[in-house]
Amino acid sequence: MVQKRPDRTLGGPHDVFWDYCAKGQLHIQQCQSCAGFSYPPMKSCEHCGGANMTWQPMSGYGHVVSHCRFEHDYYRGIFAIPHDTIMVELAEGPIMMSNPSGFCNDDLTPNMPVKVAFTACEDSAGVFQLPVFERV
């Protein structure tokens, strides 16, 4: 079943990120000048301002470093309330905000290991694959 979601950011490097997700692959930008990772996608490095960004495949494994539960309906009925969000530090170092899949924030343990999965979602631009994280 396709989940309804708020509109994604599209255009430029965001389109490349979503193209990889459509293939079931998690890729994050890495600066060739300073080796820093940048997420969400951007045109230049968030660390040094360099413009030589490449896409690196991620293992998809990581651990939960933080979490949040939204109890206010910010998206006017798109999400069921409460709505859980997690921060995941990938094994390679970048940190992503995402959603738990198959568990909720009440099930979290400190540094809980997780792995990426992709779930079919839809926004006003159409159907897309959203990276979410499930327990290892």
Side-chain angles (χ1 to χ4, degrees):
M1 182 169 168
V2 175
Q3 297 177 17
K4 185 75 174 154
R5 292 292 176 138
D7 288 344
R8 301 165 281 164
T9 301
L10 296 173
H14 296 281
D15 289 349
V16 177
F17 175 79
W18 293 116
D19 287 345
Y20 279 119
C21 290
K23 299 173 189 170
Q25 301 172 7
L26 182 61
H27 282 64
I28 303 290
Q29 287 178 303
Q30 185 174 32
C31 178
Q32 295 305 293
S33 298
C34 75
F37 288 103
S38 291
Y39 180 83
M42 45 191 57
K43 292 181 181 178
S44 59
C45 178
E46 65 183 278
H47 306 285
C48 73
N52 190 10
M53 304 294 285
T54 61
W55 291 91
Q56 299 300 319
M58 300 287 110
S59 67
Y61 288 91
H63 64 276
V64 177
V65 294
S66 187
H67 60 90
C68 175
R69 174 166 288 151
F70 291 94
E71 296 185 2
H72 180 76
D73 191 7
Y74 293 104
Y75 294 104
R76 295 181 176 91
I78 292 178
F79 293 121
I81 301 299
H83 175 73
D84 290 338
T85 301
I86 56 176
M87 296 291 288
V88 173
E89 182 176 0
L90 297 173
E92 296 83 1
I95 296 176
M96 291 184 69
M97 184 168 75
S98 185
N99 299 118
S101 178
F103 67 95
C104 69
N105 287 357
D106 294 336
D107 302 324
L108 288 172
T109 58
N111 296 311
M112 187 171 97
V114 292
K115 65 178 180 176
V116 74
F118 294 88
T119 189
C121 294
E122 183 177 23
D123 64 9
S124 65
V127 176
F128 64 98
Q129 294 295 312
L130 180 71
V132 295
F133 287 86
E134 54 191 24
R135 288 187 242 209
V136 170

